[in-house]
Amino acid sequence: EIFKNENINFANRLDFETSGLVIGCKNLKFLRYISQKIRDNEIQKKYFAIVHNIKNNIESKIFKIENYLTTTENKVAVSKNPVSKESKQSITHFKQINFDKLKNSKQILNLLGKNSKNATLLDIELVTGRKHQIRVQIADQGFPIIGDKKYGIKDGSDRFFLCCYFLSFDNYKFSIF
């Protein structure tokens, strides 16, 4: 019924290959309300990503990346300080998760194929929400997302391993799991 309703407007979006939750609004009043919450960073968003552990060791199980992102013509550039007035501060929290703790870890590792050898699962919480934020920040650290054709490496994966699994605002919580 929701998809038949022509009045549904989406307040947020995901990159084309990213899977997961988005917020659909049934009327313009709620769309404006949610859009303001997004601008004010009042919506909590969590993602799972599986990354290449190229350095063979993410030094800390929990870490934060804080930098500036500047959108260029074709990509998003990362810098420690603002490089122009278009540069926006970007903050993301990361937590490394052990595959063995997942119920369906064998299925996930099978999906990864040859990329499963040096893969790391990350639980990610966005503090700010910028274009390509997770993708570019983690790739800049040397851990590109498996299947990321824009910021990653040619890994032969036909899937992009980034999923928005949790959204919350006000007293509402939505989760895939």
Side-chain angles (χ1 to χ4, degrees):
E1 288 184 38
I2 290 173
F3 291 114
K4 291 177 187 175
N5 185 341
E6 294 178 12
N7 295 324
I8 297 293
N9 292 290
F10 291 97
N12 66 323
R13 65 172 200 82
L14 297 173
D15 292 340
F16 179 71
E17 293 180 309
T18 303
S19 60
L21 299 171
V22 293
I23 301 171
C25 303
K26 290 171 61 174
N27 59 55
L28 290 177
K29 182 179 178 183
F30 194 67
L31 177 64
R32 285 195 277 298
Y33 175 77
I34 291 297
S35 295
Q36 186 62 48
K37 288 204 160 292
I38 290 170
R39 281 191 294 279
D40 295 341
N41 293 323
E42 294 177 8
I43 295 184
Q44 184 182 22
K45 297 177 240 173
K46 292 184 179 183
Y47 292 75
F48 281 130
I50 302 176
V51 300
H52 291 284
N53 195 350
I54 292 173
K55 294 179 182 176
N56 292 325
N57 186 9
I58 293 179
E59 293 178 19
S60 177
K61 296 271 186 205
I62 298 174
F63 58 101
K64 174 172 120 177
I65 298 176
E66 187 170 351
N67 52 24
Y68 289 84
L69 302 181
T70 308
T71 302
T72 64
E73 222 175 278
N74 298 320
K75 288 191 174 188
V76 175
V78 178
S79 59
K80 291 188 186 285
N81 299 302
V83 294
S84 72
K85 63 182 178 182
E86 287 82 30
S87 299
K88 295 183 179 178
Q89 184 180 30
S90 301
I91 305 167
T92 313
H93 296 275
F94 296 86
K95 180 180 177 184
Q96 190 174 348
I97 308 268
N98 190 337
F99 275 112
D100 298 336
K101 294 185 179 181
L102 300 175
K103 292 179 187 176
N104 54 355
S105 62
K106 288 182 183 177
Q107 292 170 321
I108 293 171
L109 293 172
N110 284 338
L111 284 174
L112 292 169
K114 67 178 177 120
N115 292 310
S116 67
K117 292 176 190 163
N118 290 317
T120 300
L121 175 62
L122 297 174
D123 187 356
I124 303 163
E125 183 173 352
L126 284 179
V127 176
T128 57
R130 310 287 183 229
K131 180 179 181 177
H132 297 181
Q133 179 173 329
I134 295 169
R135 298 169 69 178
V136 71
Q137 282 184 322
I138 202 69
D140 185 61
Q141 297 294 309
F143 309 112
I145 297 171
I146 294 175
D148 190 347
K149 293 170 180 57
K150 190 165 193 103
Y151 300 100
I153 59 173
K154 293 181 182 178
D155 56 22
S157 180
D158 60 348
R159 292 176 183 236
F160 181 55
F161 288 90
L162 179 62
C163 176
C164 178
Y165 75 90
F166 179 86
L167 288 170
S168 79
F169 57 91
D170 298 339
N171 292 321
Y172 301 101
K173 294 181 180 185
F174 306 93
S175 180
I176 292 175
F177 306 106

